[in-house]
Amino acid sequence: MTGDLPDRVIRITRTGRADLIRLLKAGGGIRLDETAPLFGYTRQEKQAEQGAQPAGQSVAGSPGPPPREAHVFLEPGDEIKFWCLTEFEKKDPGDIRTQAPEWARKGSSLTQADSRAKQTFKPPAYLPLETTSRIWPFIKAALGALTATADPDMEKAVPLAASLSPMDRLPMVTRLTWHARSCVVFDFHDRLMPFWRDIRQMLELILRMRGCAGLGVRILEKGPQQGFRKFGDTDFRFYPFRPPSAGTPVLILSDLGCFSASRDRLTAWIRFGRACRAKGITPVVLTPCPSYSWDNRLGSFFTMVWWDRGQKLPRPDSRNRMTSVRRAAAIKNPKEKVETLLALLSCAIRVEPGLLRAVRFALPPGTADSGIEAMAWNHSHMKPSPVAGSFDNKALADYRDRFARLAVDEQKWPLAEKTIILRNAWHKMLAKAVRCEEEMVAASLCRREPAPWAGEFLEIFFRTVSGARGTEEMAAWFNRLSDRLTETTWSANSRVLTPAFIVVNWKAWHQGTAVLPRGADLAHAAWLIIKDGPVQTITVYQVGCQLAFLPRQGPTDGPDHNGFSLGSPVVSFETSGDYSINGAKASVGEDFWMDLPEEGRVRIDTDRVNAVIDRISKPAVAGAVGRDKSGLFFRFPKSDQKIYHPWGDLGEDRFGIYTDYLVRGVTFRMRWIEAGIFMMGSPGDEPEREYDETRHEITLTRGFWLADTACTQALWQAVMKNNPSEFKGEDLPVDSVSWEDCQFFLEQINGLLSGLNLGLPTEAQWEYACRAGTRTPFSFGRTISTAQANFDGNYPYAGGEKEEYRRTTVPVKALPCNGWGLYQMHGNVYEWCRDWYGDYDLEHLVDPVGPDTGEDRVLRGGSWNNDARNLRSACRNWGTPSYRYLSIGFRLAQGHL
């Protein structure tokens, strides 16, 4: 036996050497080499001889099993990861097409006019920071001087004469005129790009109203430190920036460096201010920078005036002197205001400064000022240019998700709609391709169908690129479009986008180098990629540190290595043709192997299912983690039972162990209910008990998962795409559902979350969880109040005082939970149970499931329109499986029933 032993085996995990002995005995040295890596061992290779070639590197995905050298093993101390199915959704059979749809075969193609901007349309009128009628008196005062006229000032002369005061000369009327010499500085720094048009308009206004005589116009681009250009110069020569001669009024349109990310510009402006003060000059600064952001040192050298809509402009005194405006209070949560403004603008591909201004002005007063506008334009997630800015693609999805939340908010959706209207007005002249993309984005964010013309344009584009008239420029445009669209937009428009992506990237797709965008659905391109033959089942196995995608019919037929069945099954899925793994093509009928990624998930897309495989760590609350032929399981410290748990993240709080599940954007929580023994029913002396509550002992030998709330309307809508409830609200329990409705819901949600096996609790499980270890009529004690449960307070328990009657359901977590973290097991809505209704079997029962047959199903918990006695833990009710009422809902359970 020693002759078959490898040269040297190194242990790099925590398994024992006894495992190696068993493997060696079972298959000899050759089999040991192939199976030892699965137990955490690797054979140390001898030093390569001179001239020997090094071992090859493995490829991320390949059609056959890789060499053993490609395996990667955990180093001692690394956290052990387990790979399991975390998302699974079957696709609508109606989306699976085997023949090309009619729109793909018949119709016109694109013309050159479709790719051109429409010159006949003009953008809307630009909204200035302030109207000319309000700003002009201030400008004239800043650049003017008081001069005497030939008319005597009788208002001053008469009082002087009456007082017999000596007068050297008669007071004359003065009027404001232009100063003979004045200086105007226009700052066109990049940080001021949103205000360039306002600054240019002021330049044109001053030149038109005052004229050029005696006016020094200085143009800054990078700040005082670089120097200035003279207005009208064509050689772009820069001159040193120095103060004008003493007595010259100076008007500056700039932020004085307050918007700058560095302090260099601010320091240069302070130096300029000191030089002006040395000559007795106090420049007047008209700045879009809010007064609460001004540097304290600027007030010593400049007269600061905030330039924005609705801001108060200072009036000169009798000597034509102005003072700085008072500082305004800082706006609350400026970063949040900036993020909101950017979220609104994210529905546009390009953001012109005029569009930015229009959307800001559309916000409620006091929500956003010129400082918020500048912060949004200069944000790290924006790519500004003098013509228009654009979003960083990496941040665009987050902003559009935020826009979608605004669009469904009852109070904020008008603002989202107004933003789309403003965007359409500003982009009416753009090419149809750009407007089509923006319309698709808006439709997906607002959860509505895109305009018919947008869908028609996409269909025309597909026919063009799939025919002889398609060009490389069109393909490049579509790929840029693919990068800009979010997953939500792709999903909403996958009917045309996915076939277009396959056609545009036809060669790369079949070579396996094209990456399918997130949200694309291969079901809509099945007629392009399916092969003749039956639907095939692909089973995914974890083999060491790799995943194997193998066309196997049985879930336990793992990869065979010289007679050994290796690997653990993770998931099986169906496909009619080629499918994608993390966006890369995999061919049906061929084995596909890939290394487990160090980061991220493994996403599987076929024409029939979507699935996600992800890593999880051993939860701190679990005593052990393992895998058998049924899948991944946990064991908890207090129980040896295997809990198959393929979904969600485990956690633990003061109530116990819980897990959260995500279904189409809606999260719900389930709590682990430990096995135990309890007395079911009510004692004979319990007030207001019923005849069918005879007390008897129940043993539950297995724990189970139970939702911590009744099923919400948000979860029902996500699964069923409808809402039968009488009382509307996403956080309210779904009501008006029959037991049969619940069965259909369970069928749908279990189809979305394969392996979760959700159901209704048995009547014994429900009462056990409701009592939460208590023996009193309610889990809260011997009585109950409307502060603890939702019921008709006109009928309190056992002669108590009357309380409020809400006459409606309340949010599922609006009232306190019981001792096991379960909300509103008493009141709000009745909850269906799995059992048929019937008399109790008074013997000691183990894991009872109720009668085998019956006419009615069990209802438990009482409701908002019941009196308090119906809320008791032991109280029973019933209804036919088809019965619906506005006080009936249900609660999800999971486990081995």
Side-chain angles (χ1 to χ4, degrees), residues 39-40 84 96 155 187 220 270 355 366 495 511 525 604 627 770:
F39 291 85
C84 63
I96 305 173
E155 292 183 0
D187 190 351
L220 299 180
I270 292 176
L355 175 60
R495 177 185 65 89
Q511 291 176 347
I604 304 169
R627 187 192 293 275
C770 176

Side-chain angles (χ1 to χ4, degrees), residues 329-474:
I331 193 169
K332 295 182 179 179
N333 301 322
K335 292 184 179 179
E336 180 65 22
K337 302 295 191 302
V338 171
E339 294 297 319
T340 299
L341 182 57
L342 290 175
L344 289 170
L345 293 167
S346 65
C347 66
I349 294 177
R350 50 181 278 174
V351 180
E352 295 82 358
L355 175 60
L356 171 62
R357 178 73 52 77
V359 174
R360 176 172 77 88
F361 279 9
L363 295 173
T367 303
D369 53 31
S370 55
I372 299 298
E373 181 178 335
M375 292 171 64
W377 184 265
N378 296 309
H379 198 280
S380 59
H381 293 155
M382 284 289 289
K383 300 176 181 178
S385 76
V387 177
S390 61
F391 281 87
D392 184 349
N393 287 339
K394 295 180 180 179
L396 190 57
D398 292 336
Y399 284 119
R400 287 182 174 172
D401 286 343
R402 186 163 183 161
F403 184 99
R405 292 194 294 271
L406 293 174
V408 298
D409 190 310
E410 293 184 0
Q411 296 181 347
K412 297 179 179 179
W413 74 263
L415 184 58
E417 289 291 335
K418 189 171 184 179
T419 301
I420 293 176
I421 293 173
L422 290 171
R423 183 209 65 188
N424 292 340
W426 274 89
H427 292 173
K428 189 180 295 185
M429 77 295 299
L430 298 182
K432 201 170 185 178
V434 177
R435 293 187 293 114
C436 174
E437 178 182 347
E438 290 186 334
E439 172 59 23
M440 289 191 301
V441 170
S444 63
L445 296 181
C446 297
R447 300 182 182 180
R448 61 172 173 80
E449 290 294 326
W453 66 266
E456 293 172 1
F457 177 84
L458 286 176
E459 293 175 358
I460 295 173
F461 172 81
F462 175 84
R463 291 193 294 268
T464 304
V465 296
S466 61
R469 298 186 63 183
T471 64
E472 294 183 3
E473 290 78 8
M474 290 182 178

